[in-house]
Amino acid sequence: MAFKLNKNDTHLLGLIAEYRILTVCQVAILVERPTRSTRRRLADLANANLIAIDRYAYDGGLGRPEGIVSLTPRGMQSLREVQGIDAAVVPGEVGAVHVRQLGHDIFVNWVRLHVRHAARLIPRLRVHFEVPADALVQVQDDRSGNGRA
């Protein structure tokens, strides 16, 4: 049976694109579902080549490394078709990051998740994460050696 992308999957792909890289546990928190069922759906998306799930012990701890989720070029194309994401945004800019910054990006996402949770608990607290309009242009410039000082 062919894989069918549903509305929740599209939302999930959008979250992965927004956060760039997430642990399976972080995804479960974002979609407010149990980790086990989230892991199963992520496996379905990975089998459809919409996301990549890699294992990496970013914290250097013992035990099984946690699954790290990122968007694939096919997943980005799917988002473009459904959500109208600009064609100038390339998968490398929203997908996997360099291994040296992996731990940092995961930690930043934990901070974002905690702030988001605090905003739910405190109704008067308003939180808005904003990406500068030229952020993607700057990333492209940095990669080509024309970065800004």
Side-chain angles (χ1 to χ4, degrees):
M1 186 168 146
F3 180 80
K4 178 88 169 138
L5 194 65
N6 63 38
K7 183 179 174 182
N8 291 334
D9 293 334
T10 303
H11 174 70
L12 180 56
L13 291 176
L15 288 171
I16 294 169
E18 177 185 346
Y19 283 79
R20 293 184 55 194
I21 194 156
L22 293 161
T23 66
V24 172
C25 184
Q26 289 172 334
V27 173
I29 291 169
L30 281 169
V31 297
E32 298 177 355
R33 299 273 186 241
T35 305
R36 186 178 225 166
S37 61
T38 301
R39 188 174 282 116
R40 274 193 302 259
R41 193 56 186 173
L42 289 173
D44 292 341
L45 292 172
N47 289 335
N49 198 27
L50 296 170
I51 64 169
I53 303 176
D54 299 305
R55 294 222 175 264
Y56 184 74
Y58 61 90
D59 62 355
L62 300 175
R64 175 189 282 178
E66 187 159 7
I68 305 295
V69 180
S70 61
L71 207 56
T72 63
R74 183 168 182 219
M76 187 66 198
Q77 182 59 37
S78 178
L79 278 178
R80 280 192 186 112
E81 293 168 2
V82 176
Q83 293 186 351
I85 292 178
D86 188 356
V89 178
V90 296
E93 294 167 351
V94 295
V97 296
H98 193 278
V99 171
R100 283 185 286 172
Q101 95 185 55
L102 182 66
H104 173 266
D105 286 357
I106 290 171
F107 177 74
V108 168
N109 286 339
W110 275 121
V111 171
R112 289 179 68 187
L113 288 171
H114 287 305
V115 169
R116 182 180 171 153
H117 183 69
R120 286 185 186 151
L121 294 176
I122 306 168
R124 293 179 43 198
L125 180 62
R126 299 284 183 247
V127 178
H128 177 74
F129 294 103
E130 189 170 313
V131 177
D134 67 341
L136 295 178
V137 174
Q138 183 174 354
V139 169
Q140 288 175 335
D141 287 346
D142 290 345
R143 288 182 184 160
S144 65
N146 300 327
R148 298 178 183 108

mmCIF file of all heavy atoms in Angstrom, residues 50-98:
data_model
loop_
_atom_site.group_PDB
_atom_site.id
_atom_site.type_symbol
_atom_site.label_atom_id
_atom_site.label_comp_id
_atom_site.label_asym_id
_atom_site.label_seq_id
_atom_site.Cartn_x
_atom_site.Cartn_y
_atom_site.Cartn_z
ATOM 1 N N LEU A 50 10.857 11.111 3.516
ATOM 2 C CA LEU A 50 10.500 12.507 3.754
ATOM 3 C C LEU A 50 11.342 13.118 4.871
ATOM 4 O O LEU A 50 11.534 14.334 4.918
ATOM 5 C CB LEU A 50 9.017 12.617 4.103
ATOM 6 C CG LEU A 50 8.061 12.205 2.976
ATOM 7 C CD1 LEU A 50 6.638 12.108 3.492
ATOM 8 C CD2 LEU A 50 8.161 13.173 1.813
ATOM 9 N N ILE A 51 11.814 12.263 5.776
ATOM 10 C CA ILE A 51 12.705 12.697 6.856
ATOM 11 C C ILE A 51 13.850 11.700 6.971
ATOM 12 O O ILE A 51 13.768 10.581 6.458
ATOM 13 C CB ILE A 51 11.976 12.808 8.214
ATOM 14 C CG1 ILE A 51 11.464 11.440 8.671
ATOM 15 C CG2 ILE A 51 10.875 13.854 8.179
ATOM 16 C CD1 ILE A 51 10.976 11.416 10.112
ATOM 17 N N ALA A 52 14.892 12.127 7.649
ATOM 18 C CA ALA A 52 16.004 11.234 7.958
ATOM 19 C C ALA A 52 16.053 11.091 9.480
ATOM 20 O O ALA A 52 15.873 12.074 10.210
ATOM 21 C CB ALA A 52 17.320 11.814 7.456
ATOM 22 N N ILE A 53 16.245 9.875 9.943
ATOM 23 C CA ILE A 53 16.410 9.628 11.374
ATOM 24 C C ILE A 53 17.781 8.991 11.558
ATOM 25 O O ILE A 53 18.036 7.900 11.061
ATOM 26 C CB ILE A 53 15.326 8.691 11.937
ATOM 27 C CG1 ILE A 53 13.938 9.257 11.675
ATOM 28 C CG2 ILE A 53 15.547 8.474 13.439
ATOM 29 C CD1 ILE A 53 12.806 8.341 12.105
ATOM 30 N N ASP A 54 18.649 9.712 12.230
ATOM 31 C CA ASP A 54 19.994 9.227 12.502
ATOM 32 C C ASP A 54 20.150 9.056 14.000
ATOM 33 O O ASP A 54 19.508 9.745 14.791
ATOM 34 C CB ASP A 54 21.033 10.213 11.982
ATOM 35 C CG ASP A 54 20.950 10.418 10.487
ATOM 36 O OD1 ASP A 54 21.019 9.412 9.762
ATOM 37 O OD2 ASP A 54 20.793 11.577 10.060
ATOM 38 N N ARG A 55 21.011 8.154 14.381
ATOM 39 C CA ARG A 55 21.308 7.964 15.801
ATOM 40 C C ARG A 55 22.637 8.633 16.094
ATOM 41 O O ARG A 55 23.619 8.424 15.387
ATOM 42 C CB ARG A 55 21.381 6.485 16.133
ATOM 43 C CG ARG A 55 20.041 5.809 15.965
ATOM 44 C CD ARG A 55 19.790 4.845 17.107
ATOM 45 N NE ARG A 55 18.472 4.295 17.021
ATOM 46 C CZ ARG A 55 17.431 4.776 17.688
ATOM 47 N NH1 ARG A 55 17.573 5.802 18.463
ATOM 48 N NH2 ARG A 55 16.249 4.218 17.586
ATOM 49 N N TYR A 56 22.637 9.466 17.111
ATOM 50 C CA TYR A 56 23.863 10.174 17.463
ATOM 51 C C TYR A 56 23.857 10.459 18.955
ATOM 52 O O TYR A 56 22.887 11.003 19.481
ATOM 53 C CB TYR A 56 23.971 11.484 16.672
ATOM 54 C CG TYR A 56 25.267 12.204 16.917
ATOM 55 C CD1 TYR A 56 26.452 11.736 16.375
ATOM 56 C CD2 TYR A 56 25.304 13.327 17.721
ATOM 57 C CE1 TYR A 56 27.649 12.381 16.618
ATOM 58 C CE2 TYR A 56 26.496 13.988 17.962
ATOM 59 C CZ TYR A 56 27.659 13.516 17.405
ATOM 60 O OH TYR A 56 28.836 14.153 17.653
ATOM 61 N N ALA A 57 24.941 10.103 19.617
ATOM 62 C CA ALA A 57 25.074 10.364 21.056
ATOM 63 C C ALA A 57 25.659 11.763 21.229
ATOM 64 O O ALA A 57 26.834 11.935 21.494
ATOM 65 C CB ALA A 57 25.962 9.317 21.707
ATOM 66 N N TYR A 58 24.820 12.772 21.049
ATOM 67 C CA TYR A 58 25.276 14.159 21.089
ATOM 68 C C TYR A 58 25.716 14.605 22.475
ATOM 69 O O TYR A 58 26.473 15.550 22.623
ATOM 70 C CB TYR A 58 24.195 15.103 20.557
ATOM 71 C CG TYR A 58 22.922 15.078 21.354
ATOM 72 C CD1 TYR A 58 22.724 15.927 22.420
ATOM 73 C CD2 TYR A 58 21.904 14.173 21.037
ATOM 74 C CE1 TYR A 58 21.561 15.881 23.163
ATOM 75 C CE2 TYR A 58 20.744 14.135 21.765
ATOM 76 C CZ TYR A 58 20.579 14.988 22.823
ATOM 77 O OH TYR A 58 19.426 14.939 23.558
ATOM 78 N N ASP A 59 25.229 13.924 23.516
ATOM 79 C CA ASP A 59 25.569 14.334 24.879
ATOM 80 C C ASP A 59 26.696 13.509 25.480
ATOM 81 O O ASP A 59 27.123 13.771 26.595
ATOM 82 C CB ASP A 59 24.344 14.284 25.779
ATOM 83 C CG ASP A 59 23.768 12.885 25.917
ATOM 84 O OD1 ASP A 59 24.267 11.959 25.236
ATOM 85 O OD2 ASP A 59 22.816 12.718 26.694
ATOM 86 N N GLY A 60 27.194 12.512 24.755
ATOM 87 C CA GLY A 60 28.299 11.700 25.246
ATOM 88 C C GLY A 60 27.912 10.744 26.357
ATOM 89 O O GLY A 60 28.773 10.127 26.971
ATOM 90 N N GLY A 61 26.606 10.600 26.620
ATOM 91 C CA GLY A 61 26.151 9.735 27.693
ATOM 92 C C GLY A 61 26.159 8.267 27.299
ATOM 93 O O GLY A 61 26.413 7.898 26.154
ATOM 94 N N LEU A 62 25.895 7.429 28.284
ATOM 95 C CA LEU A 62 25.832 5.997 28.047
ATOM 96 C C LEU A 62 24.464 5.617 27.505
ATOM 97 O O LEU A 62 23.514 6.372 27.581
ATOM 98 C CB LEU A 62 26.102 5.252 29.352
ATOM 99 C CG LEU A 62 27.460 5.520 30.002
ATOM 100 C CD1 LEU A 62 27.541 4.826 31.346
ATOM 101 C CD2 LEU A 62 28.579 5.061 29.088
ATOM 102 N N GLY A 63 24.365 4.423 26.981
ATOM 103 C CA GLY A 63 23.084 3.931 26.491
ATOM 104 C C GLY A 63 22.906 4.167 25.012
ATOM 105 O O GLY A 63 23.788 4.667 24.316
ATOM 106 N N ARG A 64 21.722 3.797 24.535
ATOM 107 C CA ARG A 64 21.414 3.922 23.115
ATOM 108 C C ARG A 64 21.319 5.392 22.719
ATOM 109 O O ARG A 64 20.624 6.166 23.366
ATOM 110 C CB ARG A 64 20.089 3.243 22.820
ATOM 111 C CG ARG A 64 19.643 3.431 21.374
ATOM 112 C CD ARG A 64 18.261 2.946 21.142
ATOM 113 N NE ARG A 64 18.271 1.500 21.034
ATOM 114 C CZ ARG A 64 17.198 0.764 20.861
ATOM 115 N NH1 ARG A 64 16.015 1.336 20.828
ATOM 116 N NH2 ARG A 64 17.281 -0.535 20.752
ATOM 117 N N PRO A 65 22.008 5.757 21.648
ATOM 118 C CA PRO A 65 21.902 7.151 21.185
ATOM 119 C C PRO A 65 20.471 7.462 20.754
ATOM 120 O O PRO A 65 19.780 6.602 20.224
ATOM 121 C CB PRO A 65 22.843 7.198 19.982
ATOM 122 C CG PRO A 65 23.719 6.014 20.109
ATOM 123 C CD PRO A 65 22.939 4.979 20.860
ATOM 124 N N GLU A 66 20.048 8.678 20.985
ATOM 125 C CA GLU A 66 18.691 9.075 20.645
ATOM 126 C C GLU A 66 18.561 9.328 19.141
ATOM 127 O O GLU A 66 19.520 9.713 18.481
ATOM 128 C CB GLU A 66 18.303 10.336 21.408
ATOM 129 C CG GLU A 66 16.857 10.694 21.212
ATOM 130 C CD GLU A 66 16.309 11.593 22.283
ATOM 131 O OE1 GLU A 66 17.084 12.062 23.120
ATOM 132 O OE2 GLU A 66 15.102 11.813 22.270
ATOM 133 N N GLY A 67 17.370 9.098 18.625
ATOM 134 C CA GLY A 67 17.100 9.372 17.219
ATOM 135 C C GLY A 67 17.058 10.868 16.968
ATOM 136 O O GLY A 67 16.420 11.616 17.702
ATOM 137 N N ILE A 68 17.777 11.305 15.935
ATOM 138 C CA ILE A 68 17.821 12.702 15.542
ATOM 139 C C ILE A 68 17.089 12.819 14.207
ATOM 140 O O ILE A 68 17.422 12.135 13.244
ATOM 141 C CB ILE A 68 19.281 13.183 15.384
ATOM 142 C CG1 ILE A 68 20.086 12.925 16.654
ATOM 143 C CG2 ILE A 68 19.332 14.644 14.977
ATOM 144 C CD1 ILE A 68 19.628 13.700 17.857
ATOM 145 N N VAL A 69 16.093 13.692 14.152
ATOM 146 C CA VAL A 69 15.208 13.802 12.993
ATOM 147 C C VAL A 69 15.516 15.085 12.215
ATOM 148 O O VAL A 69 15.643 16.156 12.814
ATOM 149 C CB VAL A 69 13.733 13.832 13.450
ATOM 150 C CG1 VAL A 69 12.801 13.950 12.272
ATOM 151 C CG2 VAL A 69 13.412 12.615 14.293
ATOM 152 N N SER A 70 15.628 14.958 10.896
ATOM 153 C CA SER A 70 15.801 16.127 10.037
ATOM 154 C C SER A 70 15.039 15.899 8.734
ATOM 155 O O SER A 70 14.667 14.774 8.404
ATOM 156 C CB SER A 70 17.281 16.393 9.751
ATOM 157 O OG SER A 70 17.860 15.293 9.087
ATOM 158 N N LEU A 71 14.802 16.959 8.018
ATOM 159 C CA LEU A 71 14.052 16.915 6.767
ATOM 160 C C LEU A 71 14.959 16.495 5.614
ATOM 161 O O LEU A 71 16.125 16.880 5.565
ATOM 162 C CB LEU A 71 13.498 18.314 6.494
ATOM 163 C CG LEU A 71 12.242 18.469 5.685
ATOM 164 C CD1 LEU A 71 11.096 17.686 6.286
ATOM 165 C CD2 LEU A 71 11.863 19.934 5.595
ATOM 166 N N THR A 72 14.443 15.712 4.690
ATOM 167 C CA THR A 72 15.175 15.333 3.482
ATOM 168 C C THR A 72 14.765 16.271 2.340
ATOM 169 O O THR A 72 13.752 16.983 2.453
ATOM 170 C CB THR A 72 14.854 13.887 3.066
ATOM 171 O OG1 THR A 72 13.464 13.811 2.734
ATOM 172 C CG2 THR A 72 15.203 12.892 4.162
ATOM 173 N N PRO A 73 15.508 16.256 1.240
ATOM 174 C CA PRO A 73 15.081 17.071 0.094
ATOM 175 C C PRO A 73 13.668 16.710 -0.384
ATOM 176 O O PRO A 73 12.888 17.591 -0.752
ATOM 177 C CB PRO A 73 16.127 16.740 -0.977
ATOM 178 C CG PRO A 73 17.361 16.405 -0.187
ATOM 179 C CD PRO A 73 16.839 15.684 1.034
ATOM 180 N N ARG A 74 13.315 15.431 -0.335
ATOM 181 C CA ARG A 74 11.960 15.025 -0.742
ATOM 182 C C ARG A 74 10.917 15.584 0.233
ATOM 183 O O ARG A 74 9.825 15.994 -0.172
ATOM 184 C CB ARG A 74 11.864 13.508 -0.812
ATOM 185 C CG ARG A 74 10.517 13.047 -1.302
ATOM 186 C CD ARG A 74 10.501 11.583 -1.649
ATOM 187 N NE ARG A 74 9.190 11.224 -2.145
ATOM 188 C CZ ARG A 74 8.588 10.103 -1.859
ATOM 189 N NH1 ARG A 74 9.187 9.194 -1.123
ATOM 190 N NH2 ARG A 74 7.394 9.850 -2.336
ATOM 191 N N GLY A 75 11.232 15.596 1.525
ATOM 192 C CA GLY A 75 10.326 16.182 2.516
ATOM 193 C C GLY A 75 10.159 17.671 2.296
ATOM 194 O O GLY A 75 9.057 18.211 2.416
ATOM 195 N N MET A 76 11.249 18.345 1.936
ATOM 196 C CA MET A 76 11.180 19.778 1.647
ATOM 197 C C MET A 76 10.318 20.029 0.417
ATOM 198 O O MET A 76 9.512 20.957 0.392
ATOM 199 C CB MET A 76 12.595 20.319 1.435
ATOM 200 C CG MET A 76 12.653 21.802 1.307
ATOM 201 S SD MET A 76 12.164 22.568 2.856
ATOM 202 C CE MET A 76 11.802 24.198 2.287
ATOM 203 N N GLN A 77 10.469 19.189 -0.595
ATOM 204 C CA GLN A 77 9.651 19.328 -1.804
ATOM 205 C C GLN A 77 8.171 19.137 -1.475
ATOM 206 O O GLN A 77 7.315 19.860 -1.980
ATOM 207 C CB GLN A 77 10.099 18.327 -2.876
ATOM 208 C CG GLN A 77 9.340 18.437 -4.175
ATOM 209 C CD GLN A 77 9.460 19.814 -4.807
ATOM 210 O OE1 GLN A 77 10.512 20.453 -4.748
ATOM 211 N NE2 GLN A 77 8.380 20.292 -5.386
ATOM 212 N N SER A 78 7.886 18.196 -0.618
ATOM 213 C CA SER A 78 6.505 17.956 -0.202
ATOM 214 C C SER A 78 5.930 19.185 0.492
ATOM 215 O O SER A 78 4.786 19.578 0.252
ATOM 216 C CB SER A 78 6.448 16.733 0.713
ATOM 217 O OG SER A 78 5.150 16.517 1.162
ATOM 218 N N LEU A 79 6.728 19.820 1.356
ATOM 219 C CA LEU A 79 6.279 21.045 2.026
ATOM 220 C C LEU A 79 6.060 22.168 1.023
ATOM 221 O O LEU A 79 5.119 22.944 1.154
ATOM 222 C CB LEU A 79 7.307 21.486 3.074
ATOM 223 C CG LEU A 79 7.225 20.794 4.416
ATOM 224 C CD1 LEU A 79 8.330 21.307 5.334
ATOM 225 C CD2 LEU A 79 5.881 21.011 5.065
ATOM 226 N N ARG A 80 6.931 22.263 0.043
ATOM 227 C CA ARG A 80 6.757 23.297 -0.985
ATOM 228 C C ARG A 80 5.413 23.137 -1.687
ATOM 229 O O ARG A 80 4.716 24.104 -1.942
ATOM 230 C CB ARG A 80 7.877 23.213 -2.016
ATOM 231 C CG ARG A 80 9.143 23.844 -1.581
ATOM 232 C CD ARG A 80 10.109 23.993 -2.749
ATOM 233 N NE ARG A 80 11.365 24.478 -2.251
ATOM 234 C CZ ARG A 80 12.484 23.774 -2.226
ATOM 235 N NH1 ARG A 80 12.510 22.553 -2.709
ATOM 236 N NH2 ARG A 80 13.583 24.290 -1.738
ATOM 237 N N GLU A 81 5.077 21.898 -2.007
ATOM 238 C CA GLU A 81 3.835 21.627 -2.731
ATOM 239 C C GLU A 81 2.604 21.910 -1.887
ATOM 240 O O GLU A 81 1.624 22.459 -2.371
ATOM 241 C CB GLU A 81 3.820 20.168 -3.202
ATOM 242 C CG GLU A 81 4.858 19.862 -4.263
ATOM 243 C CD GLU A 81 5.039 18.372 -4.503
ATOM 244 O OE1 GLU A 81 4.320 17.559 -3.874
ATOM 245 O OE2 GLU A 81 5.921 18.028 -5.310
ATOM 246 N N VAL A 82 2.660 21.544 -0.610
ATOM 247 C CA VAL A 82 1.487 21.672 0.250
ATOM 248 C C VAL A 82 1.388 23.046 0.910
ATOM 249 O O VAL A 82 0.315 23.630 0.975
ATOM 250 C CB VAL A 82 1.493 20.561 1.330
ATOM 251 C CG1 VAL A 82 0.350 20.733 2.298
ATOM 252 C CG2 VAL A 82 1.443 19.202 0.676
ATOM 253 N N GLN A 83 2.510 23.568 1.396
ATOM 254 C CA GLN A 83 2.476 24.815 2.163
ATOM 255 C C GLN A 83 2.998 26.021 1.395
ATOM 256 O O GLN A 83 3.023 27.119 1.936
ATOM 257 C CB GLN A 83 3.263 24.653 3.461
ATOM 258 C CG GLN A 83 2.631 23.680 4.416
ATOM 259 C CD GLN A 83 3.346 23.630 5.761
ATOM 260 O OE1 GLN A 83 4.406 24.204 5.933
ATOM 261 N NE2 GLN A 83 2.750 22.933 6.711
ATOM 262 N N GLY A 84 3.456 25.815 0.190
ATOM 263 C CA GLY A 84 3.914 26.937 -0.613
ATOM 264 C C GLY A 84 5.196 27.575 -0.115
ATOM 265 O O GLY A 84 5.365 28.789 -0.222
ATOM 266 N N ILE A 85 6.117 26.795 0.415
ATOM 267 C CA ILE A 85 7.397 27.325 0.884
ATOM 268 C C ILE A 85 8.197 27.800 -0.324
ATOM 269 O O ILE A 85 8.226 27.156 -1.372
ATOM 270 C CB ILE A 85 8.169 26.254 1.680
ATOM 271 C CG1 ILE A 85 7.429 25.983 2.986
ATOM 272 C CG2 ILE A 85 9.604 26.693 1.954
ATOM 273 C CD1 ILE A 85 8.043 24.918 3.830
ATOM 274 N N ASP A 86 8.852 28.928 -0.166
ATOM 275 C CA ASP A 86 9.623 29.544 -1.249
ATOM 276 C C ASP A 86 10.665 28.580 -1.806
ATOM 277 O O ASP A 86 11.378 27.916 -1.066
ATOM 278 C CB ASP A 86 10.305 30.799 -0.700
ATOM 279 C CG ASP A 86 10.973 31.636 -1.772
ATOM 280 O OD1 ASP A 86 10.989 31.223 -2.946
ATOM 281 O OD2 ASP A 86 11.468 32.720 -1.429
ATOM 282 N N ALA A 87 10.773 28.535 -3.123
ATOM 283 C CA ALA A 87 11.727 27.648 -3.792
ATOM 284 C C ALA A 87 13.171 28.046 -3.506
ATOM 285 O O ALA A 87 14.084 27.239 -3.671
ATOM 286 C CB ALA A 87 11.472 27.637 -5.293
ATOM 287 N N ALA A 88 13.411 29.294 -3.055
ATOM 288 C CA ALA A 88 14.771 29.740 -2.747
ATOM 289 C C ALA A 88 15.319 29.059 -1.497
ATOM 290 O O ALA A 88 16.522 29.019 -1.277
ATOM 291 C CB ALA A 88 14.803 31.256 -2.568
ATOM 292 N N VAL A 89 14.439 28.526 -0.644
ATOM 293 C CA VAL A 89 14.874 27.826 0.560
ATOM 294 C C VAL A 89 15.275 26.417 0.151
ATOM 295 O O VAL A 89 14.479 25.662 -0.385
ATOM 296 C CB VAL A 89 13.753 27.773 1.623
ATOM 297 C CG1 VAL A 89 14.203 27.008 2.841
ATOM 298 C CG2 VAL A 89 13.305 29.171 1.993
ATOM 299 N N VAL A 90 16.529 26.074 0.397
ATOM 300 C CA VAL A 90 17.022 24.755 0.007
ATOM 301 C C VAL A 90 17.051 23.837 1.219
ATOM 302 O O VAL A 90 17.199 24.290 2.348
ATOM 303 C CB VAL A 90 18.419 24.837 -0.650
ATOM 304 C CG1 VAL A 90 18.360 25.622 -1.938
ATOM 305 C CG2 VAL A 90 19.433 25.429 0.294
ATOM 306 N N PRO A 91 16.909 22.526 1.023
ATOM 307 C CA PRO A 91 16.851 21.586 2.144
ATOM 308 C C PRO A 91 18.026 21.670 3.107
ATOM 309 O O PRO A 91 17.866 21.507 4.291
ATOM 310 C CB PRO A 91 16.805 20.220 1.464
ATOM 311 C CG PRO A 91 16.237 20.492 0.127
ATOM 312 C CD PRO A 91 16.722 21.857 -0.258
ATOM 313 N N GLY A 92 19.226 21.957 2.616
ATOM 314 C CA GLY A 92 20.385 22.044 3.500
ATOM 315 C C GLY A 92 20.262 23.137 4.536
ATOM 316 O O GLY A 92 20.889 23.096 5.576
ATOM 317 N N GLU A 93 19.428 24.145 4.261
ATOM 318 C CA GLU A 93 19.260 25.248 5.191
ATOM 319 C C GLU A 93 18.249 24.940 6.289
ATOM 320 O O GLU A 93 18.219 25.608 7.298
ATOM 321 C CB GLU A 93 18.844 26.507 4.429
ATOM 322 C CG GLU A 93 19.947 26.990 3.516
ATOM 323 C CD GLU A 93 19.479 28.024 2.532
ATOM 324 O OE1 GLU A 93 18.270 28.258 2.426
ATOM 325 O OE2 GLU A 93 20.345 28.580 1.852
ATOM 326 N N VAL A 94 17.425 23.935 6.079
ATOM 327 C CA VAL A 94 16.461 23.575 7.109
ATOM 328 C C VAL A 94 16.690 22.160 7.625
ATOM 329 O O VAL A 94 16.050 21.742 8.566
ATOM 330 C CB VAL A 94 14.996 23.708 6.607
ATOM 331 C CG1 VAL A 94 14.672 25.134 6.301
ATOM 332 C CG2 VAL A 94 14.749 22.803 5.426
ATOM 333 N N GLY A 95 17.581 21.449 7.033
ATOM 334 C CA GLY A 95 17.801 20.051 7.404
ATOM 335 C C GLY A 95 18.942 19.864 8.366
ATOM 336 O O GLY A 95 19.205 20.693 9.227
ATOM 337 N N ALA A 96 19.634 18.757 8.199
ATOM 338 C CA ALA A 96 20.701 18.372 9.113
ATOM 339 C C ALA A 96 21.787 19.437 9.183
ATOM 340 O O ALA A 96 22.067 20.128 8.226
ATOM 341 C CB ALA A 96 21.305 17.043 8.659
ATOM 342 N N VAL A 97 22.388 19.529 10.345
ATOM 343 C CA VAL A 97 23.442 20.506 10.601
ATOM 344 C C VAL A 97 24.772 19.788 10.751
ATOM 345 O O VAL A 97 24.829 18.572 10.840
ATOM 346 C CB VAL A 97 23.140 21.320 11.882
ATOM 347 C CG1 VAL A 97 21.891 22.137 11.705
ATOM 348 C CG2 VAL A 97 23.031 20.412 13.090
ATOM 349 N N HIS A 98 25.825 20.556 10.815
ATOM 350 C CA HIS A 98 27.151 19.981 11.002
ATOM 351 C C HIS A 98 27.221 19.325 12.382
ATOM 352 O O HIS A 98 26.659 19.829 13.352
ATOM 353 C CB HIS A 98 28.210 21.076 10.880
ATOM 354 C CG HIS A 98 29.587 20.534 10.755
ATOM 355 N ND1 HIS A 98 30.317 20.144 11.834
ATOM 356 C CD2 HIS A 98 30.343 20.283 9.666
ATOM 357 C CE1 HIS A 98 31.488 19.691 11.439
ATOM 358 N NE2 HIS A 98 31.531 19.771 10.113
#
